Amino acid sequence: AALNNPDVDHVNMISAINNANKTISVKGNEVTLNMLGNNLIGGGSVIWAFKLNDTDMVLNDANISNGGIRLDNGSNLTVNSGKIAGKFTGSSRNLFWVDGNSTLTINDGEYSTGHTKTRIIYVTSGSTVYIKGGKFTLTHQNASTMYEVVNPSSTGTVIISGGTFNFEPTDEWLAEGYKATKNGSTWTVSAL
């Protein structure tokens, strides 16, 4: 209720919440959510821990397990820090679904998902994702499955200018003037 209240611009989550197999929907609001590292268990069989519709949200100190975030209808989400882990029960899932001329900006944090054909980002035409930092980890049950931060079915724009990855980020998504350098089993994106 607080996240949907137009008179509230900051929400502090002061304890853990088990919202398993449910989605928190936020519509038509501008709000900053400070999770303060408290765990939100959400999504699961319904996939999304949060669904944003015509909403501008800043997310700090995230700690989301078992679910992803969906952006629709011109929503804007900026994730500054924390951990988001999608432990989905099925294949072909995405940690972030960015649709309807929405924008996702990832400045820092840790992002992981593990199952056959799961990816971090799915973005549709007209929507944009900026990855400026963060640690991205994919762990697949099927070793032959390709490691990709961006779902290859995406038709939107992804611009990667920072971050570390346990797989090689596709050159197609690297920002102009940036490269991915391998050191051991980690690739780091930096300016040329």
Side-chain angles (χ1 to χ4, degrees):
L3 291 172
N4 282 288
N5 186 337
D7 295 326
V8 173
D9 60 6
H10 283 76
V11 175
N12 293 334
M13 185 173 147
I14 60 172
S15 63
I17 297 173
N18 187 340
N19 200 41
N21 298 318
K22 297 176 186 172
T23 298
I24 297 172
S25 295
V26 186
K27 184 174 181 179
N29 204 12
E30 295 183 20
V31 64
T32 296
L33 174 59
N34 301 307
M35 293 187 70
L36 306 175
N38 292 301
N39 184 229
L40 169 66
I41 298 173
S45 63
V46 297
I47 306 174
W48 312 118
F50 286 98
K51 186 173 180 182
L52 309 182
N53 185 338
D54 186 29
T55 290
D56 291 345
M57 179 184 282
V58 175
L59 182 56
N60 298 317
D61 298 318
N63 187 0
I64 300 171
S65 57
N66 206 38
I69 300 176
R70 180 170 179 146
L71 287 71
D72 286 308
N73 194 24
S75 292
N76 297 293
L77 173 65
T78 300
V79 185
N80 289 322
S81 54
K83 296 180 181 180
I84 302 178
K87 299 185 189 311
F88 303 121
T89 56
S91 64
S92 300
R93 306 296 195 205
N94 305 277
L95 197 61
F96 293 97
W97 183 292
V98 187
D99 195 10
N101 299 309
S102 297
T103 301
L104 168 66
T105 303
I106 297 174
N107 290 321
D108 204 352
E110 298 181 24
Y111 306 89
S112 62
T113 182
H115 203 287
T116 307
K117 296 183 180 178
T118 55
R119 275 90 174 192
I120 303 293
I121 303 291
Y122 180 83
V123 56
T124 63
S125 180
S127 296
T128 305
V129 174
Y130 298 96
I131 298 176
K132 299 180 178 182
K135 179 180 178 182
F136 299 84
T137 305
L138 292 178
T139 306
H140 292 297
Q141 293 179 353
N142 181 352
S144 66
T145 299
M146 197 168 186
Y147 287 80
E148 296 166 313
V149 66
V150 181
N151 189 313
S153 299
S154 294
T155 54
T157 301
V158 177
I159 301 172
I160 302 175
S161 60
T164 61
F165 304 80
N166 74 328
F167 54 94
E168 184 173 10
T170 309
D171 288 342
E172 175 185 0
W173 307 113
L174 292 179
E176 186 175 345
Y178 284 79
K179 63 179 179 179
T181 304
K182 186 179 182 183
N183 184 3
S185 60
T186 301
W187 283 261
T188 301
V189 174
S190 61
L192 293 172

